[in-house]
């Protein structure tokens, strides 16, 4: 199939002016009406949005990126990769569960029991270690809704835990006093599940189709009788160009390069499900793993979702809007309308608009191989947090949960160390704003480029005490070194005598967690002799303005 990308509504620099006739797939509002209010589903109208101060102050959130793909504990995109012959996930699934022609992902769903899941205690713990907002997974690319969904029968109330997961997460966040976010990823199930219609090209099952071809009629006498697998797999359509090329989906993520055009029924179903979740659980934050927004630029669905979310949130909050909606790979104009999310990375400079990076301690879905290799350290997480905050961003950290609803002891050790650092140094993070210069050091000077939607966070492994990041409040300037200097001597070149950004002469500084220290300034920088390390991560210097 040739490219279906619509040039008239392509990504634009500035504010897009696409009209309804420019879209290939217009969403229907027969079942779910878009909330009317100050915002209309246009870039011009959405550009009037202003990021709420609570989000700018929060800086750090934790995400439970958790669902049935954690059952086999083989990592992210398990429900797709189990259909990729020869992959680790395919081999593991065949060995432990069966061949995908006989035991597909639909059959994994009942095994997702969440039998040890205690949302109240989890969210309370996340708050204890420093999170100022909490995110839950509403659905993933696997197309399974983690709530009592009106528009998707393959959901957590009907199958698996038999619980309304989002309702319980939302209530737990409310009890903890944390703003609540929902992430929704099922808009890409249309192309993501295409391998479910493949077959083995070698071995005993060569040529036997996987279960992505099954329909409601095939369920007679099965545990899923009465359910239609196509409501889950969504594969009753012409496949994308080069559908057997495993990596092609990444090139087609923005609905170009030959991606199969989703039907109006599919797009409207995702729109309905999203509005259903927003109306029921009243989230403060809404995340999409999409280029710009769901189905953009081929549909108006994403713009209508954004307008509904903003209007609904403002109405529910009695005019005091708390809404934050995220999209990826946004241009400058689009970043005024919705909030830019950078996956596993950060821009190389401070941004004028607030933004967020999303990252994970390990793999996005729980993976026993990551457990064996080890997670990112608390040092890594702190370096990323400090760097992101210096550039006007927030950090959303996913802590993978096992299928039973618990995290493991290695993850807890990281969270405990992170929490201890934040307890001492949190004043340099929460409620701060960028300074005139975001930082100094070899990495800061090199300008590490973003790859696609992010993916440049390897930079944090190589940072040392020469790498310093700045941020500020009205009263104080904070300078954080990304490691303790071995000799205890810290030099901050940006604060050299006569620098143009901080004219006040500095004679003393305050080391958070320790106390006041003497400091000297000369042409080379501000010099501070630090005491023995008071933590294993990073020293924070506070300077009175």
């Amino acid at each position: 199939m040739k490219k279906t990308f619509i040039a008239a509504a392509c990504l634009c620099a500035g504010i897009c002016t696409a009209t309804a006739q420019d879209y290939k797939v217009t969403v229907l509002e027969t079942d779910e009406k878009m909330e009317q209010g100050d915002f209309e589903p246009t870039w011009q109208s959405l550009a009037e949005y202003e990021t709420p101060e609570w989000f700018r102050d929060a800086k750090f959130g934790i995400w439970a990126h958790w669902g049935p793909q954690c059952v086999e504990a083989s990592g992210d995109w398990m429900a797709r990769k189990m259909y990729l012959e020869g992959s680790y996930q395919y081999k593991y699934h065949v060995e432990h569960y069966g061949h995908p022609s006989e035991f597909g992902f639909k059959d994994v769903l009942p095994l997702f029991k969440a039998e040890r899941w205690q949302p109240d205690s989890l969210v309370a713990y996340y708050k204890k270690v420093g999170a100022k907002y909490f995110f839950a997974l509403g659905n993933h690319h696997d197309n399974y809704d983690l709530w009592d969904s009106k528009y998707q029968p393959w959901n957590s109330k009907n199958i698996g835990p038999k619980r309304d997961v989002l309702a319980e997460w939302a209530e737990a966040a409310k009890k903890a006093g944390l703003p609540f976010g929902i992430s929704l990823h099922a808009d890409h199930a249309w192309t993501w599940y295409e391998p479910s219609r493949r077959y083995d090209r070698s071995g005993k099952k060569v040529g036997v189709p996987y279960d992505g071809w099954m329909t409601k009629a095939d369920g007679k006498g099965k545990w899923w009788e009465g359910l239609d697998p196509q409501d889950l797999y969504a594969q009753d359509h012409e496949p994308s160009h080069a559908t057997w090329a495993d990596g092609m989906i990444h090139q087609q993520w923005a609905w170009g390069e030959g991606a199969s055009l989703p039907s109006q029924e599919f797009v409207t179903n995702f729109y309905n499900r999203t509005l259903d979740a927003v109306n029921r659980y009243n989230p403060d934050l809404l995340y999409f793993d999409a280029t710009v927004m769901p189905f953009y630029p081929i549909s108006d669905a994403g713009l209508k979702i954004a307008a509904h979310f903003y209007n609904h949130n403002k109405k529910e909050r009695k005019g005091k809007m708390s809404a934050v909606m995220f999209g990826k790979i946004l241009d400058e104009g689009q970043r005024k309308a919705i909030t830019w999310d950078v996956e596993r990375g950060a821009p190389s400079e401070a941004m004028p608009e607030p933004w967020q990076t999303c990252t994970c301690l390990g793999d996005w879905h729980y993976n026993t191989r990551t457990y064996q290799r080890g997670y990112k350290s608390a040092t890594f997480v702190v370096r990323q947090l400090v760097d992101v905050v210096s550039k006007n961003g927030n950090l959303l950290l996913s802590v993978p949960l096992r299928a039973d609803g618990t995290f493991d002891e290695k993850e807890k050790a990281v969270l405990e160390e992170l929490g201890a650092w934040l307890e001492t140094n949190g004043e340099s993070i929460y409620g701060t704003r960028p300074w005139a210069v975001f930082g100094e050091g070899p990495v800061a000077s090199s300008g590490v480029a973003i790859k696609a939607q992010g993916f440049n966070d390897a930079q944090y492994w190589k940072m040392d005490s020469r790498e310093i990041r700045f941020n500020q409040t009205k009263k104080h300037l904070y300078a954080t070194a990304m490691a303790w200097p071995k000799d205890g001597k810290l030099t901050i070149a940006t604060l050299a005598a006569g620098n143009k950004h901080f004219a006040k002469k500095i004679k003393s500084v305050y080391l958070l967690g320790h106390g006041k220290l003497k400091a000297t300034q000369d042409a080379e920088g501000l010099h501070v002799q630090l005491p023995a390390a008071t933590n294993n991560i990073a020293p924070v210097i506070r300077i009175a303005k």
Side-chain angles (χ1 to χ4, degrees), residues 452-518:
Q453 65 264 46
F455 302 110
N456 66 351
D457 63 356
Q459 61 183 290
Y460 301 113
W461 291 116
K462 43 191 175 180
M463 290 183 174
D464 56 31
S465 61
R466 296 172 297 170
E467 210 67 45
I468 296 169
R469 296 293 180 267
F470 303 99
N471 51 3
Q472 64 179 332
T473 61
K474 290 181 179 180
K475 293 183 178 180
H476 299 112
L477 171 66
Y478 295 92
T480 304
M482 296 300 197
W484 288 80
K486 293 180 180 179
D487 59 3
K489 295 179 181 179
L490 181 65
T491 296
I492 306 174
T494 305
L495 295 176
N499 77 85
K500 63 181 180 179
H501 301 299
F502 197 90
K504 182 179 178 180
K505 187 174 182 180
I506 304 170
K507 295 182 178 179
S508 64
V509 300
Y510 189 93
L511 175 65
L512 299 188
H514 176 77
K516 197 172 183 180
L517 300 174
K518 290 183 179 180

Side-chain angles (χ1 to χ4, degrees), residues 25-30 264 267-269 271-272 299-302 304:
V25 186
T26 54
V27 73
L28 299 178
E29 294 184 61
T30 306
Q264 187 174 56
V267 171
T268 298
N269 177 261
Y271 165 86
N272 285 340
S299 175
D300 60 346
K304 286 186 173 180

Side-chain angles (χ1 to χ4, degrees), residues 341-352:
D341 182 84
V342 179
E343 183 174 346
R344 294 187 185 268
S348 59
E349 59 186 352
M351 304 305 297

Side-chain angles (χ1 to χ4, degrees), residues 316-335:
E316 289 293 313
R317 304 299 190 275
K318 309 297 183 185
K320 189 175 181 180
M321 191 166 158
S322 66
V324 186
M325 175 170 152
F326 300 95
K328 298 182 179 181
I329 313 183
L330 306 180
D331 66 30
E332 185 177 344
Q334 292 160 349
R335 290 175 205 163

Side-chain angles (χ1 to χ4, degrees), residues 269-313:
N269 177 261
F270 180 82
Y271 165 86
N272 285 340
R273 288 155 69 186
T274 301
L275 265 60
D276 179 36
V278 168
N279 294 342
R280 287 196 199 194
Y281 310 112
N282 298 312
D284 301 284
L285 310 104
L286 205 55
Y287 172 106
F288 297 101
D289 191 5
T291 301
V292 184
M293 55 176 59
F295 304 109
Y296 191 80
I298 60 170
S299 175
D300 60 346
L303 290 168
K304 286 186 173 180
I305 288 170
H308 175 86
F309 177 47
Y310 289 169
N311 289 333
H312 175 84
N313 180 273

